[in-house]
Amino acid sequence: MATAGSLIHARGLVKRFGSFEAVRGVDVDIAPGESFGFLGPNGAGKSSTMRMVSCLSPRSGGELRVLGMDPDTDGPRIRARLGVVPQQDNLDVELTVRENLQVYGRYFGLSRAAVRERAGELMEFAQLTDRADAKVEPLSGGMKRRLTIARALVNDPEVLLLDEPTTGLDPQARHVLWDRLFRLKQQGVTLIVTTHYMDEAEQLCDRLVVMDGGRIAAEGSPSELIRRYSTREVLELRFPFGRVADHTEVAARLAERVEVLPDRLLLYTDNGDAALAAAHEAGLRPVSGLVRRSTLEDVFLRLTGRSLVD
Amino acid sequence: MTTNDAATTRTAPAATGRSGSLFAEVGRVLEGHWVWYRLNWRATVISSVLMPALYLIAMGIGMGSLVEPGEFTQGHDYLVYLAPAVLVVSLVQTAAGESTYPVLSGFKWQRNYLAVAATPISPARLALGELTWIALRLLFSGLVYLLIAALLGALLNPMVLVSLLAAVLTGMAFAAPVVAYSATVQGEGAGFNALFRFVVMPMVLFAGTFYPVSQLPEVVQPVAWITPLWHGTELARGLAFGTLEALPALLHLSYLLALAGVGTVLACRHFHKRLVV
Ligand SMILES: Nc1ncnc2c1ncn2[C@@H]1O[C@H](COP(=O)(O)OP(=O)(O)OP(=O)(O)O)[C@@H](O)[C@H]1O
Ligand SMILES: [Mg+2]
């Protein structure tokens, strides 16, 4: 690979739409075989970044190499080796499940025999074999999503880019999909995922960046980020709506840091149980008190002062 | 960190996708259409052939019984006079249908063009594929029409097969610019209604299909001359009746080729602009 072993190499990557800057100088390096995540709230610039990396959208500024090539000049050759799952499904709904896979495979220059075989494997992968010859139109949202993901694998991509892969899937389907993605990862496929679900990021990503307002706010593995930006545990104290603020002063004395949400206080501490006992002693009478481990949600709250999913 | 271990232990096998030549990739776009068409062609043929067949029967046979063969029908029965022109007009109408809503849908509703954009096929090649597909559809519709026209006794000789090529070219001289336009439409396609009402419909009535344009008031005649339909009709009739002269033929052909060519270039550009954002 041209750029020191990284499959994706971006420096100061910028995307402008008119005068609006959606991506404002992103630096990332993604190594072969890595699972990399972009975590961030709506409008953070995740999709815009993904589309530039997918060679769908030209960059407005900065440096970008994908598979060692420049998307501006080598788009088709790069895309031949990528799998792209867009945020919004764009299947051919008038074709059947099988036809969608076969036609798409042909766009990638696979032989007819190859696409027939691959379509069979992918329907197995997406658990759609029993719907093979059904039209796509009436399939459920989750089935369509799975088909979109399967379709992106038709060319055995070296890099799979998934923009919010599990939005709209039920919990079981999400777990199945995570399992499938994990298997791809084991085969050495590089995964790039955007999500605003912290559990998904924790499940899927070796390393991730937290994006906000078009910029990278922090970078690291999920556990590193939690260690760096949060405490080991969090005590959540629920209060009647609108009464939360009354208790912040007391709470602030009990923890390293306190976040105020509309219906609860989050107390960041390494020992949640001790903090809960202390809270009772200090005369706090929350509706409920819950001790949990820190998550990326807390990291995000710390970094941006806002919730990830609201 | 486990990250780098994972990275070094295994490398993905090379992807199987590859980009192809212009010819191969346009072919793949056509193949995508074919997968749909081979099961659904009947409905499309019925709608694009029924209409011209009705024109032939109503105007050619019905109205035609009142029309004396004469100078303006170039000595032929009105039905025979009409047949090559209705071929052209029906292909232009089919072209209008195929180059409006289906194209907008590819960008906006079904969004399947967005899916193609993520493959090695470039937007310009996709546009060329779409246009080629429309041309093939026109060719096929035209053949079915000629079959019906032959059964009705409306055809003089096999020269009308050359007229068919002129008709397809006319259809594309209209389709290519319209595809280019459709690729820029952001709304729900309200402009298409205007196109059908204020461009296609008047063209059908005033571009020399049912009577020579010379019958129109002199001030309106130039309006007919700018329509591709008039040029196509002149060509198709001239070829079918063996009355075509070299110079007018060249002019008609150049005009239609220019429209189709400019339309194609614009369509490629607009597809690129719309998909690469
Ligand atoms: N084609 C476009 N034209 C103009 N503005 C755009 C376009 N695409 C995205 N934007 C703007 O860029 C910003 C970032 O959008 P983007 O889709 O990259 O965010 P995101 O992080 O993917 O958000 P979400 O979680 O909602 O998918 C948004 O403010 C959006 O309105
Ligand atoms: Mg997005």
Side-chain angles (χ1 to χ4, degrees):
Chain A
M1 269 333 112
T3 38
S6 42
L7 279 190
I8 315 290
H9 169 81
R11 283 291 171 277
L13 190 59
V14 170
K15 183 71 201 182
R16 270 186 293 271
F17 297 106
S19 60
F20 175 73
E21 243 181 20
V23 178
R24 310 172 171 215
V26 160
D27 299 342
V28 284
D29 276 286
I30 303 173
E34 198 175 7
S35 309
F36 188 89
F38 289 94
L39 183 68
N42 292 138
K46 304 182 297 293
S47 296
S48 303
T49 306
M50 286 289 260
R51 288 175 43 78
M52 286 189 279
V53 174
S54 310
C55 306
L56 288 171
S57 162
R59 62 186 182 271
S60 316
E63 226 181 279
L64 179 63
R65 312 284 291 175
V66 180
L67 297 167
M69 293 178 273
D70 182 347
D72 281 352
T73 52
D74 280 315
R77 277 175 57 206
I78 301 172
R79 289 195 298 269
R81 294 164 59 187
L82 304 181
V84 176
V85 177
Q87 185 168 355
Q88 222 181 333
D89 291 333
N90 51 28
L91 297 162
D92 197 325
V93 297
E94 289 174 46
L95 298 185
T96 66
V97 169
R98 186 196 306 279
E99 287 166 344
N100 261 278
L101 295 169
Q102 293 188 351
V103 166
Y104 211 63
R106 293 287 291 155
Y107 291 157
F108 280 91
L110 307 190
S111 72
R112 288 196 187 81
V115 294
R116 263 198 301 276
E117 191 189 328
R118 193 79 185 118
E121 293 166 9
L122 289 172
M123 287 188 293
E124 203 66 48
F125 173 91
Q127 299 176 302
L128 288 168
T129 308
D130 55 332
R131 306 299 288 264
D133 297 306
K135 283 249 165 17
V136 165
E137 178 89 80
L139 295 186
S140 78
M143 288 173 174
K144 284 183 182 150
R145 197 66 186 147
R146 270 155 34 206
L147 180 57
T148 302
I149 294 168
R151 191 185 64 174
L153 292 170
V154 77
N155 58 329
D156 291 293
E158 292 156 56
V159 182
L160 181 62
L161 297 112
L162 303 120
D163 198 349
E164 300 192 15
T166 63
T167 301
L169 294 190
D170 65 36
Q172 197 210 339
R174 295 179 79 201
H175 282 279
V176 170
L177 185 70
W178 290 344
D179 172 63
R180 297 297 147 100
L181 293 178
F182 191 72
R183 269 193 247 167
L184 288 172
K185 178 176 154 51
Q186 284 182 316
Q187 291 163 22
V189 177
T190 305
L191 300 179
I192 307 177
V193 184
T194 80
T195 181
H196 36 164
Y197 297 124
M198 56 201 169
D199 55 342
E200 183 157 274
E202 283 174 359
Q203 283 279 336
L204 287 181
C205 304
D206 300 326
R207 197 156 62 88
L208 54 90
V209 291
V210 177
M211 274 190 91
D212 189 37
R215 291 203 173 82
I216 291 180
E219 178 186 339
S221 70
S223 56
E224 268 172 9
L225 286 171
I226 291 168
R227 226 178 305 131
R228 200 171 337 142
Y229 294 101
S230 192
T231 51
R232 208 168 64 85
E233 293 187 334
V234 186
L235 170 60
E236 292 201 10
L237 297 178
R238 241 166 233 283
F239 290 99
F241 202 85
R243 306 290 305 280
V244 180
D246 307 349
H247 309 290
T248 36
E249 237 177 77
V250 181
R253 292 200 292 271
L254 305 173
E256 288 178 30
R257 192 167 60 86
V258 174
E259 290 283 351
V260 187
L261 299 184
D263 61 337
R264 67 206 132 118
L265 292 173
L266 303 181
L267 283 67
Y268 289 91
T269 166
D270 283 327
N271 188 338
D273 289 323
L276 181 57
H280 281 295
E281 234 162 78
L284 291 183
R285 293 288 172 269
V287 179
S288 69
L290 165 79
V291 177
R292 60 167 176 82
R293 299 180 66 84
S294 271
T295 66
L296 287 172
E297 175 83 46
D298 301 298
V299 172
F300 188 79
L301 200 58
R302 167 75 188 279
L303 286 170
T304 69
R306 280 176 295 117
S307 285
L308 210 44
V309 192
D310 30 31
Chain B
M1 223 168 41
T2 53
T3 314
N4 293 328
D5 301 341
T8 45
T9 45
R10 240 174 197 283
T11 327
T16 49
R18 60 197 147 80
S19 53
S21 65
L22 170 70
F23 191 69
E25 292 196 334
V26 168
R28 288 168 201 160
V29 174
L30 297 180
E31 204 179 309
H33 280 290
W34 173 248
V35 168
W36 179 84
Y37 193 70
R38 69 180 169 194
L39 295 177
N40 298 279
W41 62 275
R42 284 173 204 86
T44 67
V45 166
I46 288 170
S47 61
S48 60
V49 170
L50 193 65
M51 195 274 314
L54 293 180
Y55 269 132
L56 268 193
I57 295 165
M59 304 300 288
I61 299 175
M63 259 277 289
S65 64
L66 306 174
V67 180
E68 287 289 314
E71 194 192 339
F72 109 75
T73 68
Q74 302 181 14
H76 301 293
D77 276 349
Y78 190 59
L79 177 66
V80 171
Y81 171 77
L82 221 47
V86 169
L87 169 65
V88 184
V89 90
S90 76
L91 293 202
V92 166
Q93 280 180 306
T94 303
E98 291 300 313
S99 53
T100 46
Y101 290 104
V103 173
L104 183 55
S105 172
F107 289 111
K108 197 181 158 97
W109 297 312
Q110 174 137 326
R111 302 158 48 85
N112 47 329
Y113 291 166
L114 280 66
V116 179
T119 74
I121 296 173
S122 69
R125 289 182 177 187
L126 172 61
L128 289 176
E130 295 300 284
L131 287 171
T132 312
W133 175 249
I134 294 174
L136 290 175
R137 287 282 310 276
L138 296 184
L139 190 65
F140 184 56
S141 294
L143 278 171
V144 178
Y145 163 85
L146 288 182
L147 203 70
I148 294 171
L151 293 176
L152 292 173
L155 302 185
L156 280 184
N157 58 48
M159 270 307 280
V160 79
L161 287 171
V162 188
S163 303
L164 172 60
L165 296 182
V168 172
L169 173 62
T170 313
M172 295 315 293
F174 190 68
V178 174
V179 165
Y181 162 71
S182 299
T184 67
V185 171
Q186 298 291 340
E188 303 295 311
F192 295 153
N193 276 330
L195 182 78
F196 287 117
R197 246 176 253 169
F198 302 119
V199 179
V200 178
M201 198 56 199
M203 219 162 52
V204 171
L205 296 175
F206 297 104
T209 304
F210 300 104
Y211 51 87
V213 165
S214 56
Q215 302 301 110
L216 289 170
E218 261 175 46
V219 280
V220 237
Q221 288 181 23
V223 181
W225 298 338
I226 60 169
T227 65
L229 185 53
W230 178 71
H231 294 274
T233 305
E234 291 293 303
L235 270 180
R237 268 206 186 106
L239 287 164
F241 303 154
T243 54
L244 195 62
E245 283 166 39
L247 187 61
L250 204 66
L251 286 176
H252 297 313
L253 210 56
S254 315
Y255 186 73
L256 294 174
L257 283 171
L259 271 182
V262 170
T264 301
V265 170
L266 286 178
C268 291
R269 258 195 227 164
H270 292 175
F271 265 58
H272 181 88
K273 258 200 206 146
R274 181 87 178 244
L275 292 172
V276 182
V277 287

